[in-house]
Amino acid sequence: MIYLVFGLVLFLGVHSISIVAPAWRDRTAARLGNAWRGLYSLITIAGLIVIVWGYGIARRNPLILYSPPSWARYVAAILMLPVFTLFLAAYLPGRIKGALKHPMLLSVMLWAAAHLIATGMLANVVLFGGFLAWAVADRISFRWRSQRPNPMAPSMKLNDGIAVAAGLLVYVVFEHWLHLRWIGVQPLPM
């Protein structure tokens, strides 16, 4: 469990700098330029690797905190339905992004909530609870901090359609094949 927590601290910690110290982050990024991006990316990648590794270790000796009812996996599947679309809409500006402002954070919130509903192991609560808490805090922080431009595709009328179609395709592929292959769990009975 310690590796999972350490990975979350690295990954979510570097992603939380803008929440807790936005002025320091902006000054440091301006001073370091591309070195800031490189350092940020290295810490993010290292955190993600340690999260995956730590989660794998924690799953070997699961500690069950609660047993979700059998219908919870269907609720999770419904909550997951817009997740990939929202994630893509964050980088494909259109009406979805305009209406929601930060669709990627909503994507993370739904992803985390869905998994908290459907799973009851301590490692899952730490992983998904950590991401949910971070996404909520990040979304709230947008009220008082200035926004930096995000690299994204040019705004086009087709972007929403692309985000919806590609998001649903990724959802189906992930739910039917990749989740079992990569995570070892079949989300819904086939």
Side-chain angles (χ1 to χ4, degrees):
M1 186 65 69
I2 195 156
Y3 296 113
L4 173 59
V5 172
F6 179 65
L8 285 168
V9 168
L10 283 176
F11 187 89
L12 297 178
V14 77
H15 282 84
S16 297
I17 293 172
S18 291
I19 298 171
V20 297
W24 178 86
R25 183 257 174 234
D26 292 343
R27 283 192 313 273
T28 305
R31 190 177 77 242
L32 296 178
N34 283 335
W36 171 260
R37 288 185 184 139
L39 182 60
Y40 188 95
S41 298
L42 284 174
I43 294 170
T44 297
I45 291 166
L48 188 59
I49 289 169
V50 176
I51 286 170
V52 171
W53 182 48
Y55 184 71
I57 292 170
R59 285 181 56 192
R60 290 183 197 153
N61 298 310
L63 177 60
I64 305 298
L65 297 179
Y66 57 91
S67 296
S70 59
W71 51 263
R73 61 185 5 189
Y74 297 100
V75 172
I78 292 167
L79 288 174
M80 285 296 298
L81 199 56
V83 164
F84 296 107
T85 294
L86 291 170
F87 190 87
L88 293 172
Y91 300 98
L92 295 167
R95 288 185 178 175
I96 297 170
K97 182 168 175 56
L100 298 176
K101 306 292 186 232
H102 308 289
M104 186 180 68
L105 290 176
L106 182 56
S107 170
V108 172
M109 288 181 218
L110 288 172
W111 168 78
H115 285 80
L116 285 170
I117 289 169
T119 61
M121 290 189 315
L122 176 61
N124 294 340
V125 172
V126 169
L127 176 66
F128 301 115
F131 271 96
L132 181 59
W134 167 80
V136 169
D138 200 25
R139 181 62 185 99
I140 291 169
S141 76
F142 276 109
R143 293 183 184 149
W144 68 77
R145 64 184 168 111
S146 59
Q147 300 305 302
R148 290 180 298 279
N150 253 351
M152 59 184 76
S155 184
M156 297 183 330
K157 289 184 177 184
L158 292 176
N159 282 353
D160 289 331
I162 293 168
V164 169
L168 291 175
L169 177 64
V170 172
Y171 171 84
V172 169
V173 168
F174 205 81
E175 194 277 321
H176 285 297
W177 296 287
L178 295 182
H179 200 279
L180 178 60
R181 284 196 171 94
W182 289 355
I183 314 300
V185 176
Q186 182 64 48
L188 293 175
M190 298 286 283

